[in-house]
Amino acid sequence: MSNIIKATSAEHCKEQMKSGIVILDFYADWCGPCKILSPVLDQISEEYLDKVRVIKVDVDNDELKPLVTAHRVRGIPTLVFLKDGEVVSTVNGITSKQNIIDKFENL
């Protein structure tokens, strides 16, 4: 069972980003590389439930465009790592599960 949060609005997402460690996953349903990365993020959201929140942000959703613009997403997939609401790292494109884990464990 996945513990990933699907963003429904920019405001909802901003509330979720205020505290702790958060990974924003900017994706689209039609994106092949996003589909490859999705199960990896599902695993991380389950294995590190008490350590990190994963929030999926659909770049094609007009309600979420302010987030796409604010985080300067130019390609997908893009992962944005936040700690207590502050951006600390960004990864563009597909990356390994271990690289994602290393990013948030070192925050």
Side-chain angles (χ1 to χ4, degrees):
M1 178 170 159
S2 175
N3 294 303
I4 289 181
I5 300 165
K6 189 157 183 164
T8 55
S9 71
E11 286 307 313
H12 170 255
C13 196
K14 286 177 186 175
E15 276 300 311
Q16 295 289 326
M17 297 182 329
K18 283 185 178 177
S19 64
I21 298 172
V22 175
I23 301 171
L24 296 179
D25 170 26
F26 290 91
Y27 79 101
D29 289 334
W30 50 263
C31 169
C34 300
K35 291 177 185 177
I36 293 168
L37 190 58
S38 186
V40 172
L41 294 170
D42 286 340
Q43 291 171 5
I44 289 170
S45 74
E46 292 171 23
E47 294 169 14
Y48 295 88
L49 177 63
D50 296 332
K51 197 161 199 167
V52 65
R53 276 189 310 267
V54 178
I55 304 174
K56 293 187 77 66
V57 181
D58 184 352
V59 298
D60 289 333
N61 182 335
D62 288 339
E63 296 273 330
L64 303 175
K65 293 288 184 193
L67 287 172
V68 175
T69 302
H71 292 286
R72 299 181 178 160
V73 174
R74 304 235 188 280
I76 51 174
T78 293
L79 302 178
V80 177
F81 295 78
L82 300 103
K83 183 174 182 182
D84 298 328
E86 297 295 321
V87 175
V88 291
S89 185
T90 302
V91 174
N92 297 305
I94 293 181
T95 189
S96 70
K97 179 179 178 181
Q98 190 58 54
N99 187 41
I100 296 168
I101 293 167
D102 290 346
K103 288 271 188 202
F104 69 76
E105 285 197 331
N106 292 322
L107 298 179

